[in-house]
Amino acid sequence: MSKNLHPTMDPTKMGVGRSIAVLTSGGDAQGMNAAVRATVRVGLYTGAKVYFVHEGYQGLVDGGENIRPATWESVSMMLQLGGTVIGSARCKDFRTREGRMKAAQNLVKLGITNLCVIGGDGSLTGANQFRTEWSGLLVDLVRAGKITEEEAKKSSHLNIVGMVGSIDNDFCGTDMTIGTDSALHRIIEVVDAITTTAQRSEYNLPHHVRSGWRKCMLFKVSHQRTFILEVMGRHCGYLALVTALACGADWVFIPEMPPDDGWEDHLCRRLTNQRARGSRLNVIIVAEGAMSREGKPITSDQIKKLVTDRLGFDTRTTVLGHVQRGGTPSAFDRILGSRMGVEAVMALMEATPDTPACVVSLSGNQAVRLPLMECVQVTKDVTAAMAEGRFEDAIKLRGKSFENNWNTYKLLAHINPPDVKSNINVAIMNIGAPCAGMNAAVRAAVRMGIIQGHTMLAVHDGFDGLAQGQIEPITWTTVSGWTGKGGSVLGTKRTLPAKMLEEISQNIAKFNIHALVIIGGFEAYVGGLELVQAREKYEEMCIPMVVIPATVSNNVPGSDFSIGADTALNTITSTCDRIKQSAAGTKRRVFIVETMGGYCGYLATMAGLAAGADAAYIFEEKFNIKDLEVNVGHLLEKMKTTVKRGLILRNENSNANYTTDFIFNLYSEEGKGIFDCRKNVLGHMQQGGTPTPFDRNFGTKMGAKSVLWLTEKLKECYRHGRIFANTPDSACVLGMRKRALTFQPLAELKEDTDFEHRIPKTQWWLKIRPIMKILAKYNIKLDTSEHADMEHVIKKRSPLGK
């Protein structure tokens, strides 16, 4: 981040006298509407005129009614719609110079010199070519008498900013493209639906039933199935790869890394081995562009024939096709589109004739600007690397996120334990309230531990279970199918260890536990701290420990994201969609919705951005009766427009006196005769459900990384034939900070922790709150003193991805 050259510039005056056009091009993707909405509203906020270009580049060439002014109300109720409301079309005309001349003429006549393009690499390359030719096009138009010299002078240069909308996530330079997360939601819904018939977990059965159940399995071979799922991705295997990670697939075929020669034997061997271990289900994921090392296509039908002919397995094939583009956008895509739209407008407003065309990208949780043609070039380099058989290079060029996903998948997909055991016992436990994604983290940790040669131990019911000896070995097959399970299979409690330290130390010794993985929320962090503090008295506590944040509240210090928060956010967002829809016919109605989160306002804020709320009350941003009065006044004015409904979110602990009931009663009283009110308390539904693709993938990577780190720490702490770890850096929180997964000592995070309110003192998402207010048409000042510098693709590598 760098200081703006004009830190005193009023952001509401930045666009005065300027015009912005926004278009969507190429294949549609969920979340494009959020980007269009944000571009329009922030553009209007800066004082600029904003135009819709309908039907993509074709509309730009045809002009007329295809280029229309956009208003605040015209982008209302767009957030929850899939596809693109302003339309998209493939355009042959724009590929010709004559077509681009027509497009330039249409823009010049309307005084538009800022273009925001939402599309794939082809659309963005076309935009850059248009910008490069702009001066020459104007000369030709003046010469042909189509525009005047004065008009050409006023439109002397064209600024272009791109946002990548593509469900394939095939554009290099960004962790995620708009639409990818929503496509993964559709795919995982299908995976869950087709695999539930074959799944059965012995771990959910009582101890005495398990052995008999295993014997029964021998007679259930006819009900076992192999599922082959073909997903989109002609040139990019991202959807296939993340789907494989998120559902624990046995095999994945992606174009960037074709299987080795003789893969047919290897695949059949792996499927047979899985069956021999008692697995009832095999899943194979195929990207539509999958190919062999010789460049020949590998199809789902070809794989089905192989498995059926060689193994005689009952095999089913599902080709998903365009269902992946459909449906409502996920919360992530709405927030991504909204944030990118804001950054795109700011980039246009700050651009000079010398500024290269840029694309707004996501790096970790940071919005960054990258030179458009650098990104396009690297994307082309991937295709060239695949064509030349340089597959390792292709994986690397896709970025660190893709590479990490691939490496994690390779490690976890098949069992390759070392011949020599490590004689290390690693215990895993869940602490605090259950949340979606906990089980994915447990599964990854267990399997990574087994790969390292460790014996993995499951601790049931949190610190209570550790104190009472509810500890048993957990195996590779035990955790099969866990990535898609909500809640906590191990069982979890909120109890802290302080009063049970004696019993806990005895059981650490009794079960010979050498390292501890603690997966949970704020209690997991505090509990880990208590164990560290007890090291002075109990030598048994001198073992390496790692805390993995997992809570819907997203309030664990040391991490920008917690496992489970994305699932809760989607639950809130989809509920708000339904609530808003119920008011569409009724009109003049305001909904007050209470969300979870303890004292942390993450869920209320992000759901407010994703659902298009008029306000979100949180503990971190103090509010008083005057603020409530302003919000009521805002809604009274809104009811005079065509948008006659309101949505207010309130975090459960935002204020002890201004309760949900109080706010409901206040709004009801003040809105009499203008609008009526309804209230919803969402409650524990926010903790339930199956985990989203993000939480499955994030949990998987966190679980795997935690055990690899513990393995290294154990080597460092091995002294005189035993483990002894008492340094601060031997007990850490594994968290996502900006652009990196990092390990931070529990003790060091104390300074950044508000223990009374169970939240970190600094929270990155608070900077996003002004965006929500601007998109809701509040007259506030957006801080432009800091903005994203133009970066370079080669330097931008992030570990998160989805």
Side-chain angles (χ1 to χ4, degrees):
M1 304 294 275
S2 67
K3 288 288 175 189
N4 196 309
L5 296 174
H6 310 287
T8 56
M9 183 180 284
D10 182 349
T12 61
K13 302 286 191 294
M14 290 173 76
V16 173
R18 303 170 75 176
S19 297
I20 300 171
V22 57
L23 64 87
T24 53
S25 175
D28 60 317
Q30 309 96 314
M32 279 183 165
N33 290 324
V36 170
R37 172 180 176 267
T39 304
V40 168
R41 290 193 169 178
V42 178
L44 293 172
Y45 164 83
T46 65
K49 283 184 180 177
V50 185
Y51 292 85
F52 288 135
V53 179
H54 292 269
E55 308 307 327
Y57 284 122
Q58 193 64 56
L60 205 61
V61 173
D62 294 343
E65 280 297 297
N66 290 300
I67 307 176
R68 284 179 246 163
T71 65
W72 199 273
E73 288 86 356
S74 64
V75 292
S76 181
M77 290 298 281
M78 282 174 68
L79 270 173
Q80 72 273 30
L81 300 176
T84 165
V85 168
I86 60 174
S88 179
R90 311 282 180 189
C91 179
K92 290 181 181 177
D93 292 341
F94 192 75
R95 293 178 185 174
T96 66
R97 186 176 173 84
E98 186 184 351
R100 292 192 291 277
M101 272 185 68
K102 287 181 184 176
Q105 180 184 342
N106 291 329
L107 292 181
V108 169
K109 289 295 182 186
L110 292 168
I112 298 168
T113 55
N114 297 281
L115 189 60
C116 183
V117 178
I118 307 165
D121 61 339
S123 304
L124 298 183
T125 303
N128 189 68
Q129 183 182 4
F130 190 39
R131 181 182 188 273
T132 306
E133 290 180 351
W134 184 256
S135 298
L137 293 173
L138 296 192
V139 169
D140 289 352
L141 286 168
V142 170
R143 192 176 293 142
K146 300 284 178 70
I147 62 172
T148 66
E149 290 275 5
E150 190 179 345
E151 285 173 328
K153 194 174 180 182
K154 282 183 182 176
S155 302
S156 58
H157 70 274
L158 178 70
N159 295 322
I160 282 183
V161 171
M163 288 181 266
V164 191
S166 164
I167 68 164
D168 290 340
N169 203 30
D170 56 355
F171 193 79
C172 294
T174 184
D175 286 352
M176 291 292 280
T177 56
I178 296 168
T180 304
D181 187 62
S182 300
L184 286 169
H185 274 251
R186 299 295 89 75
I187 295 167
I188 291 301
E189 283 167 14
V190 173
V191 170
D192 286 350
I194 65 176
T195 57
T196 43
T197 58
Q199 276 187 356
R200 184 172 300 172
S201 174
E202 65 171 286
Y203 213 67
N204 291 331
L205 301 172
H207 287 270
H208 66 277
V209 179
R210 289 185 200 164
S211 58
W213 184 81
R214 287 191 191 102
K215 290 173 187 171
C216 292
M217 285 292 291
L218 299 174
F219 302 100
K220 291 184 179 287
V221 174
S222 62
H223 297 287
Q224 295 176 336
R225 290 198 177 117
T226 297
F227 287 104
I228 301 167
L229 190 73
E230 184 180 303
V231 301
M232 279 185 170
R234 203 167 11 204
H235 306 296
C236 179
Y238 186 88
L239 288 178
L241 178 54
V242 175
T243 299
L245 265 179
C247 71
D250 297 290
W251 197 286
V252 64
F253 292 92
I254 60 171
E256 290 87 349
M257 185 57 74
D260 293 329
D261 294 338
W263 62 267
E264 296 90 346
D265 296 335
H266 188 180
L267 172 61
C268 291
R269 192 163 57 249
R270 180 168 319 161
L271 298 183
T272 304
N273 290 343
Q274 288 292 82
R275 290 289 171 95
R277 290 191 191 97
S279 172
R280 299 174 51 77
L281 172 69
N282 298 123
V283 178
I284 300 167
I285 308 295
V286 189
E288 62 178 327
M291 58 182 182
S292 69
R293 298 245 156 192
E294 292 75 40
K296 294 178 181 175
I298 296 176
T299 66
S300 47
D301 286 338
Q302 181 186 339
I303 299 162
K304 179 182 178 180
K305 187 174 188 310
L306 170 72
V307 175
T308 307
D309 291 354
R310 284 216 199 167
L311 303 177
F313 287 178
D314 182 1
T315 306
R316 311 292 168 93
T317 301
T318 303
V319 180
L320 283 189
H322 277 72
V323 72
Q324 293 157 89
R325 289 194 189 277
T328 186
S330 66
F332 182 94
D333 272 330
R334 299 183 200 196
I335 293 165
L336 178 64
S338 299
R339 290 181 69 190
M340 283 187 168
V342 174
E343 190 63 40
V345 171
M346 289 300 134
L348 286 171
M349 294 297 101
E350 292 163 10
T352 69
D354 299 323
T355 308
C358 80
V359 61
V360 178
S361 299
L362 179 76
S363 177
N365 65 11
Q366 308 281 295
V368 298
R369 301 174 192 175
L370 299 168
L372 171 57
M373 291 318 292
E374 275 190 28
C375 297
V376 170
Q377 186 56 52
V378 177
T379 304
K380 287 179 178 175
D381 290 346
V382 176
T383 309
M386 288 192 286
E388 293 165 14
R390 294 182 289 110
F391 302 114
E392 294 290 345
D393 289 345
I395 294 278
K396 281 184 167 33
L397 285 165
R398 281 275 181 232
K400 205 69 181 172
S401 166
F402 192 99
E403 191 180 356
N404 284 349
N405 282 329
W406 175 247
N407 290 335
T408 304
Y409 171 76
K410 281 196 299 183
L411 281 170
L412 295 176
H414 48 98
I415 183 165
N416 274 320
D419 296 331
V420 181
K421 285 278 189 179
S422 67
N423 296 320
I424 292 292
N425 299 323
V426 179
I428 302 180
M429 58 202 300
N430 294 164
I431 309 295
C435 68
M438 275 183 163
N439 297 320
V442 173
R443 171 189 174 271
V446 166
R447 291 198 166 179
M448 188 59 78
I450 291 169
I451 288 162
Q452 300 302 310
H454 310 326
T455 297
M456 304 304 290
L457 300 173
V459 180
H460 299 272
D461 298 335
F463 288 116
D464 281 351
L466 192 57
Q468 294 162 15
Q470 292 175 246
I471 303 164
E472 64 175 337
I474 186 166
T475 66
W476 186 277
T477 49
T478 304
V479 293
S480 292
W482 278 28
T483 48
K485 291 189 180 201
S488 166
V489 178
L490 291 182
T492 181
K493 288 188 177 178
R494 292 180 180 271
T495 319
L496 291 170
K499 295 178 181 177
M500 306 177 285
L501 292 171
E502 185 72 39
E503 294 88 342
I504 286 172
S505 65
Q506 287 172 1
N507 278 324
I508 288 176
K510 178 182 174 183
F511 288 90
N512 202 18
I513 294 170
H514 302 108
L516 195 56
V517 179
I518 305 170
I519 302 167
F522 199 83
E523 290 92 351
Y525 169 67
V526 176
L529 260 183
E530 290 180 1
L531 294 184
V532 169
Q533 287 158 359
R535 283 174 169 178
E536 291 180 17
K537 186 177 179 183
Y538 300 97
E539 200 174 290
E540 292 84 357
M541 307 291 185
C542 294
I543 57 174
M545 305 175 201
V546 63
V547 173
I548 298 177
T551 168
V552 300
S553 302
N554 198 34
N555 64 334
V556 179
S559 189
D560 294 342
F561 297 105
S562 294
I563 297 164
D566 186 69
T567 304
L569 187 54
N570 277 281
T571 300
I572 298 166
T573 303
S574 60
T575 305
C576 288
D577 284 351
R578 293 171 187 175
I579 286 169
K580 283 174 73 176
Q581 191 178 46
S582 73
T586 314
K587 307 289 187 188
R588 300 183 183 277
R589 180 163 286 174
V590 174
F591 289 91
I592 319 290
V593 178
E594 182 185 298
T595 68
M596 272 184 166
Y599 286 96
C600 181
Y602 177 83
L603 288 179
T605 296
M606 291 309 214
L609 188 56
D614 295 280
Y617 300 121
I618 63 169
F619 171 77
E620 293 92 341
E621 193 174 278
K622 305 302 179 191
F623 59 98
N624 56 34
I625 195 70
K626 288 181 181 176
D627 297 311
L628 294 172
E629 190 181 353
V630 168
N631 295 148
V632 171
H634 172 81
L635 284 168
L636 290 171
E637 287 300 309
K638 189 178 182 182
M639 296 300 157
K640 295 176 185 176
T641 71
T642 56
V643 188
K644 301 182 187 300
R645 74 198 153 270
L647 176 66
I648 305 293
L649 299 185
R650 179 188 174 275
N651 168 246
E652 58 185 346
N653 289 343
S654 56
N655 190 294
N657 295 313
Y658 299 138
T659 62
T660 302
D661 284 338
F662 176 92
I663 292 172
F664 168 71
N665 291 332
L666 175 72
Y667 274 68
S668 297
E669 183 62 31
E670 296 298 318
K672 272 185 179 173
I674 307 294
F675 61 77
D676 62 353
C677 285
R678 297 289 187 274
K679 70 175 176 184
N680 293 73
V681 178
L682 299 185
H684 281 75
M685 66 182 286
Q686 295 159 84
Q687 284 182 340
T690 56
T692 57
F694 180 91
D695 280 331
R696 297 182 196 205
N697 191 16
F698 193 40
T700 298
K701 283 197 272 196
M702 295 280 267
K705 195 171 181 72
S706 68
V707 172
L708 289 174
W709 178 83
L710 282 174
T711 303
E712 289 306 308
K713 278 290 162 198
L714 286 162
K715 290 174 187 173
E716 289 175 24
C717 300
Y718 187 76
R719 296 283 184 279
H720 310 298
R722 68 191 186 102
I723 304 296
F724 185 77
N726 67 345
T727 56
D729 68 351
S730 63
C732 288
V733 170
L734 170 57
M736 177 75 197
R737 299 311 293 263
K738 291 188 177 177
R739 303 189 189 185
L741 286 174
T742 57
F743 291 89
Q744 297 149 98
L746 292 166
E748 283 183 15
L749 291 167
K750 284 166 70 174
E751 287 183 18
D752 188 39
T753 305
D754 176 350
F755 286 94
E756 181 187 352
H757 299 106
R758 298 158 52 88
I759 53 174
K761 290 178 183 174
T762 52
Q763 302 190 85
W764 67 273
W765 51 265
L766 285 168
K767 289 183 179 177
I768 291 178
R769 283 184 63 78
I771 295 174
M772 184 188 71
K773 293 176 183 176
I774 288 167
L775 295 178
K777 209 177 182 179
Y778 281 93
N779 187 20
I780 67 157
K781 293 287 184 282
L782 183 66
D783 180 13
T784 58
S785 63
E786 289 191 345
H787 70 87
D789 273 334
M790 187 82 83
E791 299 189 9
H792 294 281
V793 189
I794 207 69
K795 292 179 182 176
K796 196 207 111 7
R797 293 285 183 261
S798 167
L800 176 61
K802 288 274 292 178

